[in-house]
Amino acid sequence: QVQLVESGGGTAQPGGTVRLSCSVSGITLNTYAVAWFRQAPGKEREGVSCMPHSDSSTWYRDSVKGRFIISRDNAKNTVYLQMNRLNPEDTAVYYCAIKSSGGWPLCIATTQSGQYNYDYWGQGTEVTVSS
């Protein structure tokens, strides 16, 4: 049984930092592309960041470039999203997702065109940025 469980969400002030984790069980993460999505109040879900299965590159939507960092630890079957210099527009429910053998075209589509055809999803963790 495959499960993805996000953690680390909460409340932060503008300019603050939050680190999200996504614990994956039931599969070998090494062969999967990993991604983070978010859905803000009243908005559609959008791709935030993506890392192909080869772990040779990373992709980010323009609004988070230079602020967010996606990473993974395949030995621990865990995906991370480091979010720095948060602003109120980052307030959303954040979801992790994985896709078997997903490569760089998937990541480009995820962060630039709203691709969300992934194999497995977590239930989300809420991040609120407010002063």
Side-chain angles (χ1 to χ4, degrees):
Q1 183 175 347
V2 179
Q3 287 188 307
L4 281 65
V5 180
E6 300 97 336
S7 62
T11 301
Q13 294 187 351
T17 297
V18 169
R19 186 176 188 244
L20 304 180
S21 298
C22 175
S23 178
V24 181
S25 61
I27 54 91
T28 301
L29 189 61
N30 183 57
T31 61
Y32 285 75
V34 299
W36 288 93
F37 292 78
R38 68 185 181 185
Q39 188 165 19
K43 301 293 184 64
E44 295 183 354
R45 186 174 299 185
E46 63 184 16
V48 175
S49 184
C50 180
M51 178 182 293
H53 69 91
S54 63
D55 196 18
S56 61
S57 61
T58 55
W59 301 85
Y60 303 90
R61 71 182 300 108
D62 288 343
S63 61
V64 308
K65 287 180 179 178
R67 299 191 298 121
F68 291 9
I69 302 172
I70 187 172
S71 62
R72 72 163 104 196
D73 187 334
N74 289 328
K76 296 182 178 180
N77 264 21
T78 302
V79 188
Y80 305 96
L81 184 67
Q82 179 79 26
M83 303 188 294
N84 302 311
R85 304 198 307 279
L86 289 163
N87 59 60
E89 288 69 38
D90 297 318
T91 295
V93 176
Y94 284 74
Y95 302 87
C96 63
I98 62 175
K99 185 174 180 62
S100 180
S101 300
W104 60 266
L106 170 71
C107 284
I108 293 174
T110 294
T111 57
Q112 299 183 12
S113 303
Q115 170 66 252
Y116 55 90
N117 184 23
Y118 282 71
D119 296 332
Y120 303 102
W121 292 80
Q123 293 300 306
T125 184
E126 186 173 353
V127 175
T128 301
V129 184
S130 176
S131 60

